[in-house]
Amino acid sequence: MRCMDTPLDKRKLITPKDREEVLCNSGEEAYEELIIRYDNAVSFLREHFAQATSNSVKGKRYRACYPEIILISHTFGAPDSRLSYGHVSAPGIYSTTVSKPRLFKKYLIEQINLLIENHNVPVFIGTSSTPIAINFTLDHDEDILTNCTQLDFTLRDVFDTPDLNLIHDDIVNGTGFNNEDGSHPLALFTAPRVDYSLARIQHYTATRAEHFQKFVLITNYQLYVDKFEEFARKMLADPNSGYNSFVTAGNHCIQRHQEKINWPGRMPQMPACHLTRANGDGISLINIGVGPSNAKTATDHVAVLRPSAWIMLGHCAGLRNSQSLGDYVLAHAYLREDQVLDEDLPAWVPVPALAEIQIAIENAVAVITEQKGFELKKVMRTGTVVSVDNRNWELGLNSGIAKRLSQSRAIGLDMESATVAANGFRFRVPYGALLCVSDKPLHGVLKLPRMANDFFDTQINNHLAIGILAMASLREKPLEFLHSRKLRSFEETAFL
């Protein structure tokens, strides 16, 4: 993948020693070559950055570039039509840059092996001309980060820094993006976009990306985090649970149920916790706070980790008089009045329910509530959920919102679910939403403090248990089962 270079004036450009492209016949071979190239590049930048803090850098500029994967296909091929990924749609040259390959080991090996198998050609591993921003190589090295504040030179004059022209979502938005060298994109995210989001994940959740698990629960109440900790301790106390650690905001990890958790003195904007299993098959929980903007921010960045699924567990206004506080709402459709994704995914684009996720959630509700078949309708409704960007939407009933809600056949209203689902659709991440009715403003049942506390005390345990059980059932399914073809457009990247 090539990028537009910038004038270097008379500065001497210093780069790592060239390494020729390597032909790889397996994902394992390709992964090892990606590691070598990426490590060499990062070591080069870190070494020269450390030197630059104590030596003169006048007239010098340092640059190292991301490794890249290149596929050259001469045929249309005949991939398994049941599989929504792992192949390109037409002959041509396809490429993608790669960052932090160790974090994506299993993913990279699986995706590359599928390419080789489906097209019967090897892949090339080379070095792109896309520079690695020095900011993304410093990671969590406190000594180096401290030196950043004591520089006697302008950082971007000597090293490459983040370039917003390289950090974009043109590929996932399907706006006809091609790489600068004319090749077609092989993956949904470029390396600079991945690096940007990995940094944002640490910033917003106060946990490093490597702690995130493949199954992600999203909520907007701290009480769910508290209950998740209780569940995690029970799992760690059970040697047969399959869970091996619990990581909290601040990257604090416990492996025994009786260990004390040192929560950060200053909580991040979107604290995350991770109940881990081997191969990342555990469950992460993010408290995103309130509002569609937060929902977009969190999912924008978690998406680069390619989770197997994410599910929203939140509260909603019940819009039907027949609903009771504590009833469940399983979103089968979404009316998007959240506004935040209109430029990336126009509101006229339908966001379908995914049968694989819906069945898992409905079965989990039946197990936890001990209601089956027709009786399940006593505690859960399925239908359209409306997400708005105005928390005080009730004050605008005279402006016509009630009529729109009725015409849409909506059964619940919140501020996040449609955003989480729409970004799941946009990023090809399986999604779902199970909400709990916490008030009924259209019917005179408002969310008052006493009612809210009683509601929280009685419902959160069951709601969280349903989400965890649904994720546990999805974990038993193969990846190709979860990633529905509904999420794929006419021309898709080969990588999931």
Side-chain angles (χ1 to χ4, degrees), residues 1-7 61 63 66 129-136 156 159-170 177 180 190-197:
M1 181 184 293
R2 312 300 174 190
C3 73
M4 296 298 290
D5 206 348
T6 55
R61 183 173 177 84
R63 169 172 292 174
Y66 291 105
S129 62
T130 302
I132 302 176
I134 186 66
N135 315 65
F136 297 144
R156 64 190 305 178
F159 296 92
D160 291 292
T161 55
D163 182 353
L164 293 180
N165 290 314
L166 305 176
I167 303 173
H168 51 70
D169 280 340
D170 290 349
F177 174 82
E180 289 289 345
T190 63
R193 171 66 162 85
V194 170
D195 271 340
Y196 173 76
S197 282

Side-chain angles (χ1 to χ4, degrees), residues 249-282:
N251 297 300
H252 183 70
C253 176
I254 65 171
Q255 295 178 311
R256 293 179 295 276
H257 69 282
Q258 73 271 24
E259 286 185 66
K260 181 181 177 181
I261 293 176
N262 296 321
W263 292 95
R266 184 185 226 174
M267 291 298 286
Q269 185 174 346
M270 301 179 191
C273 297
H274 316 278
L275 183 54
T276 70
R277 289 170 64 98
N279 297 320
D281 284 335

